[in-house]
Amino acid sequence: MFFAAFRRGVQIPTAVRAFRAGKPAHGGTSETENLRTMLFKSDHSSAGMHIYHKLNFALIGLGPAALVLSPSALNYPVDIALGIIIPLHSHIGGNDVITDYAHKITKAKAFENSLRIGLFGVTVVTFVGLLKLNLQGPGVTETLKSFWRSKKADK
């Protein structure tokens, strides 16, 4: 039956609709909307959640590696990676918290949007602070290790 349709010249549609009937499979949104979604609603996109889960695995591996490699020069790339991954992971997770709990305070979209813009600002400040700590200071790992070191007695 299927092959008979080809012999009669029936054309099969070239573009198939996505799982949700309201969204086309290809080219449904512009790149600016995708960038806006990734920055301010990263938990609403499948790519954002995919990145979030990959960042989980990276943090699980880089955390212990940073502590083991800490006094050596091999820790520098790990500190730089942590300085990038920690703010990204926190940003996507923070967007998820805003999605889950902002509507319980008020249903106003302006409130949710202001929280997302504030979170973006916090993410940028965190990224710049960790970058400065890694490039001009002792690094993320040595800073965290210094919390558990005993203070030297002043003589």
Side-chain angles (χ1 to χ4, degrees), residues 25 27 38 50 56 61 67 69 74 76 79 90 99 117-118 136 140 142 151 154:
M38 283 299 293
H50 183 72
N56 281 336
L67 292 174
L69 297 173
L74 294 173
Y76 184 71
D79 273 348
S90 300
T99 298
I117 291 170
Q136 296 178 349
V140 174
E142 281 298 312
K151 298 185 181 192
D154 293 330

Side-chain angles (χ1 to χ4, degrees), residues 66-88:
L67 292 174
V68 170
L69 297 173
S70 180
S72 69
L74 294 173
N75 193 40
Y76 184 71
V78 176
D79 273 348
I80 295 293
L82 285 173
I84 296 169
I85 291 172
I86 290 172
L88 279 176

Side-chain angles (χ1 to χ4, degrees), residues 132-153:
K132 181 175 175 159
L133 182 67
N134 285 329
L135 296 179
Q136 296 178 349
V140 174
T141 310
E142 281 298 312
T143 302
L144 288 176
K145 280 183 149 183
S146 70
F147 292 137
W148 285 276
R149 290 191 183 124
S150 62
K151 298 185 181 192
K152 296 177 183 176

Side-chain angles (χ1 to χ4, degrees), residues 40 98 106 108-121:
F40 297 111
I98 290 170
T106 180
K109 283 289 184 188
F111 178 69
E112 184 177 334
N113 290 338
S114 63
L115 286 176
R116 290 185 192 279
I117 291 170
L119 177 66
F120 182 71

Side-chain angles (χ1 to χ4, degrees), residues 35-46:
L35 180 63
R36 188 177 308 131
T37 301
M38 283 299 293
L39 290 178
F40 297 111
K41 292 187 177 183
S42 51
D43 59 323
H44 282 83
S45 69
S46 61

